[in-house]
Amino acid sequence: MKKILRVDMTRQATAYEAVPKSLQLFGGRGTVAKILTDEIDPACDPLSPGNKLIVCPGLFADTSAPCSGRISIGGKSPLTGTIKEANAGGIAAKKLAGLDIYAVIVEGKPDNNSWWILSISEKGAELLSANAYAGLNNYALSEKLMKDFGSDIGIVSIGTAGERGYPNSTVQITDPDGRPSRAAARGGLGAVMGSKKLKAIVIDYSGKPAWDYDDKAQFVKSSKAYSKGIMANPISGQAMPALGTAVLVNATNAGGILPTRNFKTGKFDQVEAISGEHIAELQAERGGKMRHACHPGCVIQCSNIYNDKSGNYLTSGFEYETIALLGANCGISDIDTIARMDRMCDDFGLDTMETGCTIGVCMEAGKIEFGDSVGAIALVQEIIDGTEFGKLMGQGTEKTGKHLGVTRIPTVKGQSLAGYDPRGLKGTGVTYAVCPMGADHTAGNALGNPTVDPTKKEGQVALSTQLQVGMALFDNLGMCIFSGFCTADPENLQHLVDMFAAKFGGDWNVDKLMGIAVQTLIMEKQFNTAAGFTEKDNRLPEFMYTEKLDTVDTVFDITDEELKAAIPF
């Protein structure tokens, strides 16, 4: 039977409780929204005892559904002040599901400076001293934890960035190879975990769970059909397995929306040097891998293993947004430098997107020159070393840019834009503006949608709304959003509905299933309203409205009034 694990950091106590009926048809992002809305004061200080850290799998984590191993991490964000859910791959979600854990709720705050590890296994849950692990970054930490607890554990951890409370800090999750390369990256949730003095969660489970289905035979049948739909899609079945998300580098550059030189232009003249095609060539020579599963059951396998010039492992999950924002956005064309910064960020516990935009505003201010690879690595090292300026950069792009007097600061609600310029991809711009969690492309990315012209304003609000509902659904199911590309085919969407009905029972259709996502978005908006956010906060940075993007010859011209129609519920 599913259960909630509640962890009281003030008393260093753990307790299991039943899952209330009001939560039972939410998972992942919906679970985060429901618990935070019900249990915390939205006006609380994100790093105070009043905030809570939620760690939970999705509704399909205890099934054989393809790509269903995503884990959600949630809390009130110290970067944005909004509600926040960030999700990642890795092995933690399936292990929690195997232990019948619906959610882990971490609350309170110790009265002293002791650090703790939460150990979860079939024997139960307990808090153990982590003082011997404090100060370790994620790679060394994971290696030591696997030595001490066993090699088959799943780990959810923070690096020193989270310990220091940096608003640009991640929660890292180990992948199937035991590497802490999967980041719940956005919003500074590593700082929330650090404020609880929780260094890591160790999940020890390697059994074969007896998962429950209302109709197992039907679930298996529909799941297999859905998997075939994923692999028949040219993006999820061909392009992404071949080149990973880096397949988008050349595509966004061709569309004129690749952020370059702090969003000054949408084209990078050295794009081939950072493209997925070039990465594939290098890794073929170096013994890396372009097809790699970031979590169990992934049929797309768009992760990768990036080896350095000597053929040694450097990083994994080297994704488009990292390459775009640490690369083109900073004018950097040395792909090994970008990969090196990705490794530094994963190890220390920094969001690569926020870090890339932070370095971009430093370059805009003349701190270093655009294209300065050595200088960029030195800036990341300053964050790690905790110099005075490094501590400022750890606060994120907006605070760094304002301190330096930069006017072109690419943020919404305090969070940096992702790797798509919204002046040339306006549906994603709508999502950036109205998303409850800041400029989050995974909340509804319009890239490649054939129904609207991405440079025109017509149809973008409706498109973003549709995409936000769809993505919120996948975040509830705990499925990778890339597995949803195939749902443009109504037959595959019906397979998804049939899977849900076979798992949970009852009569389900598309509208009813999407209702879970709509309720999630409603709760997120309610939380932000109670936290003091208004429609005036649903706005892109001012330069997006006044500076034309040269590659598409347009500004972001969707008005505040028009944006009010986005997610109108």
Side-chain angles (χ1 to χ4, degrees), residues 16-72:
Y16 289 103
E17 57 190 55
V19 180
K21 187 175 181 180
S22 62
L23 266 176
Q24 288 175 3
L25 286 180
F26 290 110
R29 182 174 166 186
T31 300
V32 168
K34 180 65 173 168
I35 291 172
L36 292 179
T37 301
D38 286 351
E39 296 192 9
I40 79 167
D41 178 0
C44 74
D45 181 335
L47 301 184
S48 74
N51 197 7
K52 299 189 181 186
L53 183 78
I54 316 299
V55 180
C56 54
L59 288 167
F60 277 178
D62 64 343
T63 74
S64 59
C67 308
S68 59
R70 305 288 294 184
I71 191 162
S72 288

Side-chain angles (χ1 to χ4, degrees), residues 157-241:
S157 66
I158 57 171
T160 309
E163 290 186 29
R164 293 179 188 167
Y166 285 170
N168 176 25
S169 58
T170 64
V171 177
Q172 298 290 134
I173 296 94
T174 47
D175 71 6
D177 300 314
R179 298 182 175 116
S181 60
R182 312 314 308 184
R186 313 230 70 191
L189 293 172
V192 177
M193 188 165 166
S195 74
K196 308 294 183 190
K197 295 296 182 180
L198 184 61
K199 181 63 177 173
I201 302 173
V202 172
I203 310 159
D204 186 359
Y205 180 79
S206 56
K208 294 183 178 179
W211 291 330
D212 295 325
Y213 301 86
D214 184 75
D215 186 340
K216 183 175 181 179
Q218 181 59 52
F219 187 93
V220 171
K221 178 182 177 181
S222 298
S223 180
K224 287 181 177 179
Y226 191 77
S227 293
K228 289 181 180 178
I230 293 172
M231 299 315 294
N233 182 273
I235 300 174
S236 56
Q238 299 169 37
M240 297 188 77

Side-chain angles (χ1 to χ4, degrees), residues 266-335:
K267 280 204 171 183
F268 186 42
D269 58 8
Q270 296 171 287
V271 68
E272 290 300 332
I274 64 171
S275 67
E277 290 81 356
H278 181 55
I279 293 172
E281 291 173 2
L282 287 179
Q283 294 315 303
E285 297 168 2
R286 299 176 180 181
K289 292 176 66 175
M290 292 304 292
R291 188 164 187 173
H292 173 256
C294 79
H295 66 261
C298 176
V299 297
I300 302 173
Q301 299 187 20
C302 68
S303 180
N304 48 39
I305 301 293
Y306 189 98
N307 288 349
D308 64 17
K309 292 178 181 179
S310 300
N312 298 316
Y313 171 85
L314 182 56
T315 193
S316 178
F318 192 30
E319 297 183 355
Y320 163 74
E321 287 77 19
T322 297
I323 296 166
L325 294 171
L326 286 171
N329 186 59
C330 297
I332 293 174
S333 60
D334 182 354
I335 194 64

Side-chain angles (χ1 to χ4, degrees), residues 235 248 251-252 257 420 424-425 428 445-454 463 467 485 488:
I235 300 174
L248 297 176
T252 55
I257 58 169
Y420 313 85
L425 190 62
T428 300
N445 194 353
L447 184 68
N449 189 285
T451 64
V452 296
D453 181 338
L463 174 61
L467 291 168
F485 291 145

Side-chain angles (χ1 to χ4, degrees), residues 246-431:
V247 71
L248 297 176
V249 174
N250 272 328
T252 55
N253 195 66
I257 58 169
L258 176 62
T260 303
R261 297 172 67 90
N262 192 33
F263 287 80
K264 178 69 173 178
T265 179
K267 280 204 171 183
F268 186 42
D269 58 8
Q270 296 171 287
V271 68
E272 290 300 332
I274 64 171
S275 67
E277 290 81 356
H278 181 55
I279 293 172
E281 291 173 2
L282 287 179
Q283 294 315 303
E285 297 168 2
R286 299 176 180 181
K289 292 176 66 175
M290 292 304 292
R291 188 164 187 173
H292 173 256
C294 79
H295 66 261
C298 176
V299 297
I300 302 173
Q301 299 187 20
C302 68
S303 180
N304 48 39
I305 301 293
Y306 189 98
N307 288 349
D308 64 17
K309 292 178 181 179
S310 300
N312 298 316
Y313 171 85
L314 182 56
T315 193
S316 178
F318 192 30
E319 297 183 355
Y320 163 74
E321 287 77 19
T322 297
I323 296 166
L325 294 171
L326 286 171
N329 186 59
C330 297
I332 293 174
S333 60
D334 182 354
I335 194 64
D336 284 328
T337 292
I338 303 167
R340 183 69 194 171
M341 289 191 285
D342 182 48
R343 168 62 179 265
M344 294 169 77
C345 287
D346 282 351
D347 190 32
F348 187 64
L350 293 173
D351 174 13
T352 57
M353 287 181 268
E354 193 73 36
T355 302
C357 286
T358 301
I359 294 172
V361 297
C362 289
M363 290 174 163
E364 176 98 358
K367 187 81 174 177
I368 60 174
E369 297 294 321
F370 282 104
D372 183 352
S373 297
V374 174
I377 285 181
L379 287 178
V380 178
Q381 190 63 49
E382 281 206 58
I383 304 175
I384 294 169
D385 291 343
T387 67
E388 183 177 353
F389 190 69
K391 291 176 182 177
L392 173 65
M393 288 189 289
Q395 305 300 305
T397 303
E398 186 162 296
K399 288 186 178 179
T400 302
K402 287 180 177 179
H403 175 83
L404 294 171
V406 174
T407 57
R408 186 188 292 109
I409 303 176
T411 60
V412 176
K413 300 182 181 74
Q415 180 171 275
S416 67
L417 273 61
Y420 313 85
D421 195 302
R423 290 166 290 184
L425 190 62
K426 293 182 178 176
T428 300
V430 174
T431 300

